Amino acid sequence: MGEFKVHRVRFFDYMPSAIRAMVFSTRTERLALARADGALEIFNFSDNYFQEKVLPGHDGRAVEALCWVGPRLFSAGLNGEITEYDLENLRPRYTVEAYGGPIWTISVNSQGTLLAVGCEDGTVKMFEVLKERIQFQRNLDRQKGRIISLSWHPSGTLIAAGMMDMIRIFDAETGRATHRLLVDRGAGASKSKEVVVWSIAFLSDHTIISSDSAGKVQIWDGLNGTLIRTHLITKWDVLALSVSQDESSLVAGTSEGTVVQFQFISSTVDRLDKDWVRTRTFKNHSHDVRALAHTETAVVSGGMDTQLVVRPLLDKVEKNTRESAMRKVSFPHRSLVCCAKKAGLLLFQFPDHLELWRLGESDGYGKLGGSLPVKRGPEKLIQLKRKGEDHICCSALSPCGGWLAYSTVTSFRLYRLQNGSISICKVSKLPKDLLPAHQLCFSTNSSKLFASSSNSSVVVVALNELECKYLGTLKAKYGCRQPVHQLSASDNGKWLATANTDCEVHVYNLDKLKLHCTVPVYGSCPTAMAIHPTTSNLVVVHADQQIFEYSLVKKEYTEWSRRLQKQGLHSMWLERDTPITHVTFNPKNPAHIIVHDMFMFCIIDKSLPLPEAKNVLYNQMALRSLPEPDRVLHSHGFKICKDFQHLLCVSLLEDHSLVVVERPLLDIVSQLPAPVRQKKFAT
């Protein structure tokens, strides 16, 4: 595998934001979730749960609810605005003021023609969904208290609204309230304490299911307005509900961190009539479960502990398979760390600022796996705060450490750095073609900057001491509207590879500023890629864990790549549940490819045989403990190291030392607020 001097970095204080809302689209198999800082994330559940898009947050945007209308995404929040998002340019498309105060909930009818929002002033406001915008239609009967939750009947003629102490049913055509359902405050509850109906579901048989702050899930007859059954599942709040598409299963999320499943089944074997029966309880969160989504095969949950949990329902999937494994998404599926390989600097990206650090030094030598004496500790050089209210969406540091760039959805900024005197100077005169970018990348010699913008185009800018000069815009021959999420430049300055969320990989010739070739489209989204410094082979890793190597000179897959696809990757490699987020190479050994995900980094040695199905993908410490005959038997080209956990970056410096940036989950948990209630053993 080779020996490296490792810089073990744990001073990147990355802190994800709490999950506030989520919604799943069965049509596109996309999950959209909103975080407390206003950021939105889109996950493709049909592509190994890959986080394919991130819309950066905004200081004034507090999203309380999300809604899919076909492929269009809407949000509503406590700023009183409804926002539709441009998912191609990763920004808000427009906002509409509802004029009802803070908005607590948003819901669309099954026909996708009307949006309803619940407001602080007690109104349910209806908006007509047009081709390009939404247009206010009317208000339903105004109520005395705020509207907390909404749910349409599948017919689109009725709508149920959860409020304080009650549920109202409205006729969507006349706007009149037809029923009032009073919610019990619970035994021993104070009369002055109101019950909040946090979530509501209106089923096709006119059953209404509600969850409230008294810890109850209640089943109602929506035709007669009567209570059928009450399930007390906690002493605290039940914050979220989600119903399966066939209406046979229901999940409820509590402030204890539990998710409780109910199923519409016969309560005993000999009974023919069905009822909503509590069947399972999942405990995957340490804090409030604020958002839920019930897919065909799994329960998706998120909340204050910042983690997205996908819990398969074992009666819906085959046991002991890849689909039956629980997944936790703790970190973004993109890099927030940039390493200046020549200067030994690290750039950390936060939503509201950037941090520039200089790595420490050691001149000692030690034994394998030991710690080296520190000659000079790591040093924080610069903290650069963003301008405006938009959060930082991408950033880059040049390999020489002399240039720094970042972008929000509305502005782009470039800075010149002087490492000797630790000074930073903003480049004031930028080319007008250099627009806000989705992704940034510097050339290896730091003489060019590449910025991906709309329609999968990339702006190329030349950098020198005197000026910043526009060279041209790289575009594919045919129109593509999806954003570029991966950029990789070759060391010799001749090639630039781009990948977008339509799974397209384009390679451009930087001498001619023209498209060189398009890699054959593979059905899974690229998660990381890099161009080999000597062979000019492009290595691409996809969300389904497949690896391809493409020769840019011959415009075909390499022999090693064909052999890999013919034999197939090891099942243990394919069953990993976190994507590869970075690819790099070892200049001292051209046969080595270095990749990493959240839990391991791997050196792929192309000169060694590929692992066969009978082999076990041991990590290096376990392999070293085996007897010599077994070690030879299990030897193969995939050298996996799991000594470091919760990885945000693994990069190789010019001096052949390895930089490993870790963010232990325990450090994140320790910074979370105390949970509302934590169950203790035997209580």
Side-chain angles (χ1 to χ4, degrees):
M1 183 174 184
E3 294 183 9
F4 299 95
K5 183 171 71 174
V6 178
H7 296 269
R8 194 169 189 174
V9 174
R10 288 193 172 187
F11 46 79
F12 180 21
D13 294 326
Y14 167 71
M15 189 66 196
S17 190
I19 296 173
R20 297 298 296 268
M22 69 173 65
V23 62
F24 181 73
S25 170
T26 54
R27 173 181 167 181
T28 62
E29 292 196 71
R30 300 300 198 274
L31 178 90
L33 71 81
R35 295 192 179 267
D37 63 357
L40 270 66
E41 300 168 9
I42 312 292
F43 291 83
N44 187 349
F45 273 36
S46 64
D47 193 12
N48 207 17
Y49 306 94
F50 178 58
Q51 184 193 62
E52 63 180 14
K53 295 177 182 178
V54 176
L55 287 75
H58 184 276
D59 285 348
R61 188 167 69 229
V63 177
E64 278 293 315
L66 292 170
C67 183
W68 286 108
V69 182
R72 299 164 67 180
L73 181 63
F74 293 85
S75 76
L78 300 183
N79 57 1
E81 294 176 342
I82 305 169
T83 303
E84 182 178 1
Y85 294 90
D86 183 346
L87 299 182
E88 293 173 353
N89 293 310
L90 306 182
R91 65 179 66 196
R93 177 171 285 151
Y94 63 86
T95 59
V96 174
E97 176 66 52
Y99 296 105
I103 302 174
W104 290 92
T105 179
I106 185 170
S107 183
V108 66
N109 62 358
S110 58
Q111 295 77 23
T113 57
L114 287 174
L115 274 176
V117 296
C119 301
E120 178 77 15
D121 67 354
T123 58
V124 176
K125 297 179 181 289
M126 311 285 276
F127 290 82
E128 185 180 2
V129 180
L130 304 177
K131 188 174 182 180
E132 296 295 330
R133 296 184 67 83
I134 59 171
Q135 180 175 296
F136 175 73
Q137 190 187 69
R138 63 175 172 170
N139 292 331
L140 304 188
D141 281 354
R142 186 168 181 171
Q143 306 300 306
K144 288 185 178 180
R146 64 171 69 106
I147 308 295
I148 299 294
S149 52
L150 288 173
S151 180
W152 286 83
H153 186 266
S155 67
T157 58
L158 298 172
I159 186 167
M163 304 169 57
M164 298 293 190
D165 291 331
M166 73 176 73
I167 298 167
R168 284 282 193 180
I169 302 176
F170 295 92
D171 187 315
E173 295 177 2
T174 64
R176 300 291 183 186
T178 59
H179 289 85
R180 184 179 71 158
L181 287 60
L182 296 178
V183 178
D184 182 22
R185 298 185 181 183
S190 171
K191 291 184 178 180
S192 61
K193 187 177 180 181
E194 293 179 306
V195 175
V196 184
V197 181
W198 285 116
S199 188
I200 196 165
F202 208 159
L203 307 186
S204 55
D205 63 355
H206 289 269
T207 299
I208 294 175
I209 304 174
S210 65
S211 68
D212 57 49
S213 58
K216 305 188 302 294
V217 172
Q218 294 188 305
I219 319 296
W220 305 82
D221 183 339
L223 291 173
N224 300 319
T226 55
L227 178 65
I228 299 173
R229 190 174 301 279
T230 296
H231 296 275
L232 183 64
I233 63 173
T234 177
K235 296 178 181 178
W236 307 88
D237 295 51
V238 184
L239 297 169
L241 287 177
S242 184
V243 182
S244 63
Q245 194 175 15
D246 62 2
E247 299 183 353
S248 65
S249 176
L250 161 81
V251 287
T254 74
S255 58
E256 294 178 286
T258 57
V259 175
V260 180
Q261 185 187 14
F262 296 85
Q263 289 177 281
F264 193 55
I265 55 176
S266 299
S267 55
T268 58
V269 177
D270 55 340
R271 289 187 60 176
L272 298 177
D273 56 323
K274 293 184 177 182
D275 198 359
W276 285 100
V277 179
R278 179 175 175 173
T279 54
R280 295 186 184 95
T281 300
F282 307 122
K283 175 65 175 174
N284 301 318
H285 297 274
S286 59
H287 290 63
D288 301 13
V289 177
R290 291 293 304 267
L292 283 173
H294 198 317
T295 71
E296 188 178 341
T297 59
V299 175
V300 189
S301 56
M304 288 294 293
D305 66 359
T306 77
Q307 294 190 95
L308 179 70
V309 176
V310 182
R311 179 75 184 236
L313 298 172
L314 296 182
D315 55 339
K316 300 289 185 181
V317 297
E318 188 178 344
K319 293 182 180 179
N320 301 322
T321 62
R322 182 179 180 180
E323 288 74 25
S324 65
M326 188 181 74
R327 293 168 180 264
K328 286 190 176 184
V329 180
S330 305
F331 295 139
H333 294 169
R334 60 195 176 105
S335 181
L336 299 175
V337 180
C338 190
C339 180
K341 298 181 179 181
K342 298 177 181 179
L345 301 176
L346 289 177
L347 180 69
F348 299 145
Q349 178 183 315
F350 296 85
D352 59 346
H353 71 278
L354 301 171
E355 289 183 3
L356 184 68
W357 287 74
R358 179 186 288 136
L359 291 167
E361 289 183 2
S362 173
D363 54 1
Y365 295 91
K367 63 178 182 178
L368 191 65
S371 298
L372 299 177
V374 177
K375 177 183 176 183
R376 176 177 56 81
E379 181 184 3
K380 183 177 178 180
L381 303 178
I382 294 171
Q383 179 168 313
L384 181 64
K385 292 185 178 180
R386 60 167 165 80
K387 302 293 183 182
E389 296 183 327
D390 292 302
H391 293 185
I392 297 171
C393 60
C394 60
S395 58
L397 181 66
S398 64
C400 69
W403 298 93
L404 186 154
Y406 79 86
S407 180
T408 67
V409 295
T410 56
S411 65
F412 179 90
R413 295 182 184 271
L414 179 66
Y415 295 87
R416 189 78 172 101
L417 302 175
Q418 299 290 339
N419 291 331
S421 57
I422 315 178
S423 65
I424 183 168
C425 178
K426 180 187 172 185
V427 179
S428 56
K429 292 184 179 181
L430 295 175
K432 66 180 188 311
D433 300 273
L434 195 55
L435 302 174
H438 304 313
Q439 198 65 244
L440 295 170
C441 173
F442 286 93
S443 61
T444 304
N445 61 5
S446 304
S447 65
K448 290 186 181 74
L449 170 65
F450 310 104
S452 69
S453 57
S454 59
N455 299 328
S456 287
S457 62
V458 179
V459 175
V460 184
V461 174
L463 305 173
N464 58 49
E465 296 288 346
L466 301 175
E467 62 177 346
C468 175
K469 183 182 178 182
Y470 170 74
L471 295 180
T473 301
L474 306 174
K475 291 183 180 179
K477 291 181 180 179
Y478 55 93
C480 179
R481 303 185 63 85
Q482 291 301 319
V484 168
H485 69 290
Q486 292 285 334
L487 286 174
S488 179
S490 63
D491 280 8
N492 60 12
K494 186 175 182 180
W495 311 111
L496 177 74
T498 70
N500 61 38
T501 52
D502 262 347
C503 306
E504 298 170 335
V505 178
H506 301 296
V507 181
Y508 298 93
N509 187 316
L510 294 177
D511 296 332
K512 301 177 181 178
L513 291 179
K514 288 184 178 180
L515 180 68
H516 172 68
C517 66
T518 298
V519 178
V521 176
Y522 180 67
S524 181
C525 199
T527 63
M529 63 182 186
I531 301 172
H532 197 283
T534 56
T535 63
S536 292
N537 292 338
L538 174 66
V539 176
V540 185
V541 188
H542 295 264
D544 64 354
Q545 313 296 358
Q546 292 290 341
I547 304 171
F548 294 91
E549 187 182 46
Y550 189 82
S551 171
L552 301 185
V553 177
K554 297 180 180 180
K555 297 185 182 180
E556 62 180 23
Y557 288 115
T558 64
E559 182 60 34
W560 179 82
S561 183
R562 294 175 190 275
R563 192 167 73 250
L564 179 66
Q565 291 303 311
K566 184 177 180 180
Q567 178 175 325
L569 284 159
H570 197 282
S571 60
M572 292 178 69
W573 177 271
L574 296 174
E575 288 167 5
R576 292 170 22 257
D577 60 1
T578 57
I580 296 294
T581 54
H582 189 67
V583 177
T584 189
F585 304 97
N586 185 354
K588 289 189 175 181
N589 194 329
H592 284 183
I593 304 170
I594 303 174
V595 300
H596 84 86
D597 65 10
M598 178 178 165
F599 294 108
M600 63 91 200
F601 78 86
C602 175
I603 297 179
I604 302 173
D605 191 340
K606 296 195 298 178
S607 64
L608 293 178
L610 296 170
E612 298 179 0
K614 64 181 181 181
N615 294 126
V616 179
L617 284 183
Y618 285 104
N619 67 57
Q620 292 306 294
M621 294 299 289
L623 193 63
R624 204 174 293 127
S625 64
L626 293 176
E628 183 65 29
D630 291 343
R631 204 181 310 167
V632 174
L633 179 66
H634 289 288
S635 180
H636 52 74
F638 280 58
K639 308 298 184 183
I640 293 175
C641 175
K642 292 187 177 181
D643 292 356
F644 312 100
Q645 291 286 296
H646 310 130
L647 300 172
L648 289 174
C649 178
V650 176
S651 190
L652 200 62
L653 297 181
E654 200 173 49
D655 64 359
H656 198 60
S657 61
L658 203 64
V659 177
V660 176
V661 181
E662 299 173 283
R663 181 59 170 155
L665 287 180
L666 286 176
D667 291 354
I668 294 176
V669 172
S670 67
Q671 294 184 34
L672 294 172
V676 173
R677 179 178 182 269
Q678 196 151 16
K679 182 172 174 58
K680 296 180 180 179
F681 178 71
T683 62

